[in-house]
Structures are given as C-alpha cells and as structure tokens.
C-alpha cells in the first residue's frame, strides 16, 4: 500500500485505540481529510478498510460510525489467529521451505535489520514494515501447503484487529514503538530459524506468542479504563507483530 494510504489507516486505528475517536462517533470524508491534512481519496480507502476490519460501520446515508468493540471480541479473534498461524508455521517446518521461499524470507529479514539499525522508527518506516510484515506471514502460510488455513484466516480478519496487517502507531511514544516493532522483527528471525531447522513445535509456539502478544493492548485498555480515561474502543493490533 502507498505510504499516504497506510499512514491514514494507521492513524485512524490509533485514534480509535486512544479514544480520540469514540464508539458511536460519526465520521465523514471531508472533515477527516482536513483533520489529517490529506486528500479525500486515502480517507475513503481507510474508511472501507476499517469497515472490513470491523472497526467502522457504514451508515445508510453517507459516512461511517465507530463501532464499539469489546475486549472479549478482540481476545477471541487474536487467539484464533495465533492458533491458525502457529499451525501454518509448524506445517511449514514439517514441509521444508522451498529455495525461493527461504531466499525471500531472508531478504525480508535483512530489510527489517536495515530498518531497525538506525535505532528509531517513524510513521514512514511503518509503511515499509507493514508490507514487509504482511509478506513474511503470507510466505509462511503458503509454505504450510494447507489452503484451509488461509481460508480460515480470511474469515477471521473481518473481526476487529485480527488481521496481521492491522497496524497502529503511537507517534507520541516513539521509543516504546521502536522497541515493540524491533522485538516483533526479532520474533520473525526466531520463527524463521525454527522453520528452517524443521522444528515444528518450536515454530508453532513462537508464532502463537507472536500473535497473542496482541493482548498486551487489551491490558493497556483495561488500565486506561481504571484510570478513568476516555477510551471506548480498543485496538487489537499485534503488540509484537503488528502483526
């Protein structure tokens, strides 16, 4: 996805996570585009994407409203993704990666190494990470040689933040975000190592942890509620993975 489009989607996700956009709030293209300083086209794309992810509901007329999402809904969908991707990693290890798959995964890991080598991360970097991360997961799912996994994941992705591509970025906490995404990248290295060495059980465990770390956002959400902060919807973004 182009950088402006990914930036808008990520920004809106983060606004929902933080409570800046509350459940039931109505959104329209023009004021949202003006607020974010972009044209209407990336906003229109973002609205459609977030509707597919279960975060927005399209109104019968024009515009969308922010859906209210429960912690249980997020937890359940993320756990399902962890099980499915863990199974994919185990079967990929059992099947053995093709040379092309192994080579591309190595290239993606190198790309990530270069991205995080500077010791910081920006919203522009997130667009690069988004595509890199999505492709990394796609290869592992394909390497499982189990089309039922991809089909099940496709259905699960319509639940809020269950998709591996559902990234958000807190630009007010750049140090923490760097650690989060860098650790996600280290997990990519670990799962690749396990798959490459035919360690199915290890690969499955790492991949499930990779997804289940999303629940760290649920914990953050609970803490914010306890403090009385205004948060209506939580982001099920994989806190380690981004997916």
């Amino acid at each position: 996805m182009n950088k402006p489009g990914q930036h808008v989607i990520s920004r809106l996700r983060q606004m929902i996570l933080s409570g800046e956009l509350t459940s039931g709030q109505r959104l329209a293209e023009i004021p949202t585009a003006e607020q974010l300083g972009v044209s209407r086209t990336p906003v229109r794309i973002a609205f459609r994407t977030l509707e597919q992810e279960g975060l927005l509901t399209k109104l019968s007329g024009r515009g969308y409203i922010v859906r209210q999402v429960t912690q249980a809904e997020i937890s359940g969908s993320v756990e399902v993704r962890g099980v499915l991707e863990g199974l994919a990693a185990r079967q990929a290890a059992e099947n053995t990666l093709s040379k092309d798959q192994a080579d591309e995964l190595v290239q993606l890991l190198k790309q990530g190494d270069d991205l995080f080598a500077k010791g910081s991360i920006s919203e522009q970097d997130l667009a690069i990470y988004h595509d890199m991360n999505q492709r990394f997961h796609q290869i592992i799912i394909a390497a499982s040689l189990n089309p039922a996994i991809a089909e099940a994941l496709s259905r699960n992705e319509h639940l809020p933040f269950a998709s591996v591509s559902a990234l958000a970025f807190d630009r007010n906490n750049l140090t923490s975000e760097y650690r989060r995404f860098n650790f996600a990248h280290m997990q990519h290295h670990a799962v690749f190592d396990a798959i490459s060495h035919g360690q199915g059980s290890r690969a499955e465990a790492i991949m499930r942890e990779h997804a289940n770390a999303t629940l760290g956002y649920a914990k953050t959400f609970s803490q914010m509620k306890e403090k009385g902060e205004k948060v209506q919807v939580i982001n099920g973004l994989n806190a380690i993975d981004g997916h």
Side-chain angles (χ1 to χ4, degrees), residues 10-85:
S10 173
R11 177 70 181 124
L12 289 174
R13 287 197 194 104
Q14 185 62 32
M15 291 168 74
I16 292 173
L17 166 65
S18 68
E20 187 175 346
L21 296 177
T22 60
S23 63
Q25 182 172 341
R26 184 166 179 166
L27 301 178
E29 287 182 15
I30 294 178
T32 302
E34 291 176 349
Q35 180 181 3
L36 299 181
V38 298
S39 68
R40 294 175 62 181
T41 298
V43 172
R44 186 180 304 118
I45 294 172
F47 282 174
R48 291 173 181 170
T49 299
L50 297 179
E51 180 190 13
Q52 293 172 352
E53 294 178 3
L55 283 179
L56 299 180
T57 299
K58 187 173 178 58
L59 297 172
S60 56
R62 293 194 174 192
Y64 294 79
I65 60 172
V66 179
R67 277 193 62 222
Q68 183 169 7
V69 183
T70 66
Q71 182 172 328
E73 186 178 3
I74 295 296
S75 299
S77 61
V78 170
E79 185 173 3
V80 168
R81 180 164 72 86
V83 170
L84 291 170
E85 291 198 329

Side-chain angles (χ1 to χ4, degrees), residues 193-210:
D193 180 76
I195 292 173
S196 298
H197 289 87
Q199 300 169 343
S201 296
R202 177 177 169 235
E204 181 174 18
I206 295 170
M207 207 64 170
R208 289 188 67 165
E209 173 60 25
H210 195 47

Side-chain angles (χ1 to χ4, degrees), residues 90-115:
R90 176 169 65 80
Q91 293 185 336
E94 293 170 350
N95 295 331
T96 304
L97 296 169
S98 69
K99 184 179 185 304
D100 287 345
Q101 288 171 335
D103 288 347
E104 187 173 0
L105 287 173
V106 169
Q107 291 174 0
L108 291 169
L109 291 172
K110 175 63 167 57
Q111 185 180 9
D113 290 343
D114 293 340
L115 185 69

Side-chain angles (χ1 to χ4, degrees), residues 180 188 197:
R180 178 163 70 91
H188 283 175
H197 289 87

Side-chain angles (χ1 to χ4, degrees), residues 124-145:
Q124 289 69 36
D125 294 328
L126 180 65
I128 298 173
Y129 181 84
H130 170 276
D131 294 341
M132 178 187 72
N133 177 67
Q134 190 171 45
R135 183 57 185 156
F136 187 91
H137 285 251
Q138 288 172 344
I139 293 172
I140 292 176
I141 292 166
S144 73
L145 303 181

